[in-house]
Every structure is written in C-alpha cells, then in structure tokens.
C-alpha cells in the first residue's frame, strides 16, 4: 500500500519560476544548443504556495490590443476549450516572420498564432472504426446464416460450425491486416498504440477461431466418413485447398508465438518482423482455401464481394506501407543534418529535407524512421518528433538502449533517411478544455515537449509534470524551462526512485500540484507501467477517462 501522507525529500517537485517579475523573455531559438541546466530554486513541500507550482501571473483580462489570429490547425471534437485558450492568449509575433497561412498575408491588427498547425488530416474516430469492424462481422455471420441448412445429423452440425468459424477467421485476418496498413485516417484518428492493442487482441481471437474451425471440420469429416481423426486428417490433406489452409495456419501460429511477450523479449526485432511478414502469405493461402469452400464458392456475388474485400486490403497495404514511403523519400530527400548530445545516453537527430511541410506532421506525432546506414537500413524505428517542424527540419530525440539506438548515435551527417508517417493521435485535435496538463515520464517527454511549445493557451493554462528518477534523467531540460518562462506556464520535475514508499503520481499529490486538476485535459506519455499508474491516479482525482489522452510506448526489442 502506497502512502501519500509524507513525501520523501527526493520526491519534492522542482518548480521553475518566472524571471523578471513576470515579464516574458525573448523566445528561445528553435533548436537551442546544449546548455548547462538552469539552477532551480530550493525545493519546497508538495503542497507549496501557488507561486511555487503555478507562477504568479496577472489574470487573463480582456485585452485592449488586437485579438490573436485563428490557428490553422485542426479543430477538436469539442473546440470550446481551444477557442477559450486562444482568446486568453495575448498577441504574439509569428516565428521567423512567417504568416499563419503560407502564401497569405496576416490580417491587419490580427497577428497569426506563433505556431500554426498544419492543415487538418482526415481522421476516423475509434468508435466508428469499432462499429465498422463489428458490422462487418455481423455481415459475415448473416452470410453464413442465409446458407445454413438446419439438420439433426451430427456431421452436419459439425460442418455448420466449421463454416461459421472459418468465415469469421478469414474476415478477422483481413481486419488484422487493415489495422496495420498504416492508413492515415485510421492512424490519426485511433492512434498507433490503440491500433496495436486491437491488433494483438484480435490476433488471439483469430487463432482461436482457426483452431475451432480445424477441430470442427475434422470432427465433421470423421463422422461423415465414419473414420477416426488421424485417418480423416490424412485424407483431408490430399485436397490442395486444405493443404494451403494448413500452411497458412502454421504461419499464423508462428506469428502468434513470436508475438508473445515472453518470446519476443528473447528474439531480435528483425526476426520478429520477418516472421510477421509471413502473415501476408498466410492470408493469401487462406483466401485460396476460402474460395474453394461452399460458403464463398456457392454464388457469383459472394465470390466477387469476398475477392473485392481482399483486393482492397491488399491495395491499402501496398500503397501505404510501400508506395507512400518511397514517394516521400523521392519527394523530400531527407538526410541527417546533425546528431547532438542532449544528456547522458540521449541524443537528438536533426533531419532536413525539401518541402517537409507537405508531410503535415503535427506536434505529438511520430514517424517510423529507416536510416540508410549499416545496421539500420533494415529496421524502421518509431520515434516521436521532439520539436515542431521548422525550416524543413524534423527533430527526434532518442535514448540509447540497445544495438539500434547506439547506431543512431553514430549516424553521420548526410545519411539518407526514409520516414514513414506521420502517425499518432496525441495531437491538439483531442483537446476539449482551456486548461491542459502534460504528464511525461522518462523519454516520453519528446512528444509532450512539442505540444508544450505549440498548444494555444494563456498564462496559467499549461502545466507540465515531468517524472524522472534524478536530474540526470531530465531530457531537453533547458528547452522546457525556456518554453515555460516564455509562455508563463507551470513546470514541475518529480524526481526520485520508482521503488520508494511515496508515490509522486498519486491522486493526492497530483491535486496538490494542480488544484483544479479535474478541469484539465491531460496528455500522458511514458513507459507503460508509469502510464497505467498515472491514469488510475488521474481517474481517482476526478479526471474523466475521455479527457485523458495517452499514447504509451513499448520499448522496441533490442533497439
């Protein structure tokens, strides 16, 4: 049981105060060079006065000056909070003198937002995707029901069950491939982490349906032929379509086994990825088997619909996983511009190209990066943008953990880069309230650092809590403090070991740091265990689940 009554001194949050009596200093450069961290004030207790956690700032009264311009970014589902945040934001000049809308001058007396967001990309809501998947499963069951013939015979009972489970398994394989096709509307609306969880859960259902289909089909044939299961197996393997199904089942089983947490932690990422490519061949073999079955082969319209479904998924896979990355590589000519040390074991990689703005990357999103150098070209590594896109430059910040990330640290300027994306739904469009809390753990600060700089808001609207074991684990510290001072936002470092008796992310501790916590939108990114614990604490503190926006990352195997 974790106590919340008496915090350990190591857990005392470090608050960054405003300098110069609340005056806003000049903006920090886009990608400031490494600099010694600013000296924080002496720590105080968790329940310190508001000035320690939320810098004293004049209330956001109606301004006599010009109103800020409307941002070019996507409007959230409930944009009242975003509009209120923009009204509270004082006028600010655009960085580098750029207007909010490229090619269009700013309106007189209405300066553009300092960090205009890219043009909104189409997004498919998770609820709609889930409803579509379930609706498709219902249509498949209806197809089975129309063709089913009631019978009291045991072999007919087994055969009918085999037909239903087989159809649902074939449909399930299509859904699994669609979830991982990297369709932008799906990735931006649902989120890569949620898609991965659905894919993992769906894979278990599909393997279960395939196992049920196999057992029911064997039992049905054995009863019909009045033979034993072993003999029935040998006779069925003599049919080409069934042999193809067995091969496809073996490939899918290998995919499922290598995806188990206990197995995946012991194999290389390249091995896991190669085995996963076998799922494409398994789907093709399963399609051959399904076309020979009575449920699909029984009618011309049924065969056409089933074939079109497979063809559509195949085209989406080929287009978004192969054609689009190659086209982007040829169009943007991305190359490594610089590799910079940020902290012990942490580096930033600046990637520069041509017409990068056309990628429409939003703060909070990530790309899958393939660096065309020895030891890295075969693996696409997912890393979030750690700063907004500026001057055709993308930046990622990487913590060195294994073989691949060590090679990232040794990248040379000029190395060609293939970037697939952007992906992820941890963006401004999910915001529904004026006040925002950003809660980061470890290297999970990277997408939140970009949001910390770009989300619209006035003084007191933005709060960043950064959890780390010690000061050495704080990544991009100088930049965070410069942004906090420029935006007059609250910044707290929650330092201390993770195995102590006091939990700095407990509901009571969070409420002490952010008194009106329940009125905030929360953006959360960190290791899975930290994210789960923080989500539970936020719920206990009164934050509705719909306002906790998380995109939790799993560390790549041997990355």
């Amino acid at each position: 049981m974790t106590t919340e009554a008496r915090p350990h001194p190591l857990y005392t949050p470090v608050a960054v105060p405003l300098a110069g009596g609340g005056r806003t200093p000049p903006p920090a450069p886009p990608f400031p060079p490494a600099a010694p961290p600013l000296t924080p004030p002496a720590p105080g207790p968790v329940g310190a006065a508001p000035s320690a956690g939320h810098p004293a700032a004049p209330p956001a009264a109606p301004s006599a000056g010009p109103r800020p311009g409307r941002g070019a970014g996507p409007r959230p589902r409930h944009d009242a909070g975003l509009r209120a945040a923009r009204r509270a934001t004082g006028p600010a000049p655009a960085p580098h003198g750029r207007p909010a809308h490229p090619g269009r001058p700013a309106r007189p007396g209405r300066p553009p937002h300092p960090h205009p967001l890219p043009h909104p990309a189409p997004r498919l809501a998770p609820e709609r995707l889930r409803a579509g998947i379930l609706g498709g499963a219902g249509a498949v069951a209806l197809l089975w029901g129309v063709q089913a013939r009631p019978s009291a015979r045991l072999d007919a009972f087994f055969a009918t069950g085999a037909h239903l489970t087989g159809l649902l398994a074939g449909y399930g394989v299509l859904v699994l491939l669609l979830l991982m096709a990297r369709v932008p509307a799906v990735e931006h609306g649902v989120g890569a982490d949620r898609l991965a969880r659905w894919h993992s859960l769906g894979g278990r259902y599909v393997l279960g349906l395939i196992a049920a289909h196999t057992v029911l089909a064997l039992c049905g044939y054995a009863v019909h032929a009045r033979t034993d299961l072993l003999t029935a197996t040998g006779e069925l393997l003599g049919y080409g379509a069934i042999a193809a199904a067995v091969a496809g089942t073996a490939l899918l089983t290998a995919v499922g086994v290598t995806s188990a947490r206990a197995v995946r932690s012991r194999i290389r990422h390249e091995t896991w990825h190669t085995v996963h490519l076998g799922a494409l061949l398994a789907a093709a073999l399963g399609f051959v088997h399904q076309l020979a079955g009575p449920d699909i082969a029984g009618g011309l319209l049924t065969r056409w619909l089933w074939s079109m479904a497979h063809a559509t998924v195949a085209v989406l896979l080929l287009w978004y996983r192969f054609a689009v990355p190659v086209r982007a590589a040829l169009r943007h000519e991305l190359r490594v511009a610089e590799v910079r040390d940020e902290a012990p074991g942490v580096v930033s990689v600046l990637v520069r190209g041509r017409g990068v703005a056309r990628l429409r990357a939003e703060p909070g999103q990530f790309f899958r990066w393939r660096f065309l150098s020895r030891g890295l070209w075969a693996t696409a590594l997912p890393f979030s943008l750690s700063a907004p896109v500026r001057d055709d430059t993308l930046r990622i910040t990487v913590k060195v953990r294994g073989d691949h990330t060590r090679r990232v640290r040794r990248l040379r300027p000029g190395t060609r880069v293939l970037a697939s994306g952007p992906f992820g739904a941890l963006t401004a469009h999910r915001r529904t309230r004026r006040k925002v809390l950003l809660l980061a753990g470890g290297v999970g600060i990277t997408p939140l650092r970009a949001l910390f700089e770009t989300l619209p808001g006035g003084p007191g609207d933005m709060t960043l809590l950064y959890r780390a074991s010690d000061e050495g684990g704080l990544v991009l510290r100088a930049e965070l403090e410069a942004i906090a001072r420029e935006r007059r936002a609250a910044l707290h470092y929650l330092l201390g070991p993770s195995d102590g008796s006091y939990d700095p992310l407990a509901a009571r501790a969070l409420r002490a740091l952010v008194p009106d916590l329940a009125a905030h939108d929360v953006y959360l990114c960190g290791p899975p265990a930290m994210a789960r614990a923080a989500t539970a604490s936020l719920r206990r503190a009164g934050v509705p689940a719909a306002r906790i926006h998380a995109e939790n990352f799993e560390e790549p195997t041997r990355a």
Side-chain angles (χ1 to χ4, degrees):
M1 181 175 178
T2 302
T3 176
E4 300 177 1
R6 188 178 180 80
H8 190 278
L10 288 177
Y11 283 115
T12 303
V14 178
V16 179
L18 291 177
R23 292 174 298 174
T24 303
F31 303 119
L38 303 178
T39 304
V46 172
S51 60
H54 297 270
S63 174
R67 294 173 56 193
R70 296 176 183 175
R75 184 172 292 183
R77 290 168 295 177
H78 306 288
D79 60 351
L82 184 55
R83 291 200 303 268
R86 286 171 174 165
R87 285 196 299 269
T89 308
H96 313 295
R98 292 177 297 175
H101 300 276
R104 187 196 309 174
R107 296 183 184 178
R110 179 175 286 190
H113 188 267
H115 298 288
L117 297 176
H119 184 72
R123 291 181 172 89
L124 180 65
E127 298 78 12
R128 292 188 177 182
L129 179 60
R130 188 186 297 113
I133 293 173
L134 294 178
V140 170
L142 180 62
L143 171 66
W144 165 83
V146 168
Q147 302 182 75
R149 296 292 181 266
S151 175
R153 292 171 49 186
L154 185 59
D155 58 344
F157 172 78
F158 282 131
T160 301
H163 293 166
L164 175 60
T165 52
L167 285 172
L168 289 175
Y171 170 75
V173 170
L174 282 183
V175 171
L176 295 180
L177 295 177
L178 177 63
L179 292 179
M180 293 292 104
R182 299 178 185 170
V183 180
V186 177
E187 290 273 352
H188 297 169
V190 180
D193 61 334
R194 185 179 296 174
L195 288 174
R197 290 196 299 270
W198 287 5
H199 180 82
S200 176
L201 180 62
R204 297 175 196 141
Y205 283 121
V206 167
L207 288 176
L209 287 169
I210 291 175
H213 172 72
T214 302
V215 171
L216 290 170
L218 276 175
C219 291
Y221 184 85
V223 171
H224 180 76
R226 297 182 180 181
T227 185
D228 59 273
L229 292 177
L230 187 60
T231 304
T233 301
E235 293 179 359
L236 286 175
L237 288 176
Y239 296 92
I242 293 180
V246 171
T249 299
L251 289 172
L252 288 177
T253 302
V255 170
V257 170
T258 55
S259 296
R261 188 180 298 272
V263 177
R264 188 177 178 185
S265 61
R266 290 174 170 81
I267 62 176
R268 296 185 62 83
H269 179 79
E270 292 83 357
T271 303
W272 173 85
H273 185 262
T274 301
V275 173
H276 254 64
L277 290 178
L280 301 175
L281 179 58
L285 293 171
F287 178 65
V288 171
H289 171 69
Q290 293 150 18
L291 286 183
D295 297 286
I296 304 300
L300 179 61
L301 178 61
T302 305
R303 286 199 305 272
W304 183 83
L305 289 174
W306 200 254
S307 300
M308 286 302 298
H310 282 74
T312 300
V313 173
V315 168
L316 290 174
L317 281 168
L318 290 173
W319 179 252
Y320 287 112
R321 299 206 58 152
F322 299 101
V324 168
V326 171
R327 183 186 66 174
L330 296 175
R331 172 185 292 179
H332 302 294
E333 296 184 358
L334 297 177
R335 293 181 182 272
V336 173
E338 182 183 352
V339 178
R340 177 185 300 157
D341 288 327
E342 299 286 1
V346 179
V347 297
S348 284
V349 180
L350 274 65
V351 177
R352 189 167 290 122
R354 183 179 59 189
V356 172
R358 285 183 289 178
L359 291 171
R360 299 198 299 183
E362 301 178 40
Q365 292 187 312
F366 69 94
F367 286 78
R368 290 181 172 90
W369 306 87
R370 194 181 299 271
F371 299 97
L372 302 186
S373 66
R374 183 178 180 182
L376 286 175
W377 65 269
T379 304
L381 301 172
F383 295 122
S384 299
L385 296 176
S386 60
V389 179
R390 293 190 183 92
D391 300 327
D392 281 339
T393 301
L394 304 166
R395 190 185 74 173
I396 58 175
T397 302
V398 181
K399 185 171 184 178
V400 177
R401 299 182 184 273
D403 295 340
H404 290 98
T405 45
R406 274 194 290 270
R407 295 188 182 105
V408 169
R409 189 176 190 175
R410 296 194 293 267
L411 284 172
R412 295 177 179 273
T415 301
R416 291 293 298 267
V417 182
L418 300 181
S420 177
F423 303 114
L426 196 69
T427 58
H429 88 280
R430 304 183 71 175
R431 181 178 181 178
T432 63
R433 292 294 183 274
R434 181 173 64 87
K435 293 192 174 183
V436 175
L437 168 65
L438 306 174
L439 182 53
V443 77
I445 188 63
T446 52
L448 299 191
R449 179 256 178 251
L451 290 170
F452 192 41
E453 179 179 352
T454 58
L455 283 176
D461 289 344
M462 306 293 298
T463 301
L464 173 60
L465 304 183
Y466 189 1
R467 178 77 175 93
S469 57
D470 52 42
E471 290 193 24
L474 297 174
V475 182
L476 306 174
R477 177 175 180 175
E479 294 184 26
L480 295 174
E481 294 175 356
I483 294 170
R485 291 191 177 100
E486 177 185 352
R487 303 200 61 184
R488 301 166 74 179
L491 171 61
H492 299 282
Y493 300 134
L494 306 181
L495 306 179
S498 59
D499 55 355
S501 59
Y502 176 74
D503 181 8
L505 297 178
R508 181 177 176 181
L510 292 176
R511 282 195 300 264
L513 286 171
V514 189
D516 53 347
L517 178 59
H520 285 64
D521 264 313
V522 180
Y523 286 77
L524 170 64
C525 188
M530 172 263 180
R532 287 192 295 269
T535 299
S537 295
L538 290 167
R539 294 295 306 279
R540 287 194 294 270
V543 181
R547 284 199 260 121
I548 302 175
H549 315 303
E551 197 154 64
N552 306 326
F553 60 90
E554 296 280 356
E555 297 170 7
T557 304
R558 301 190 180 187

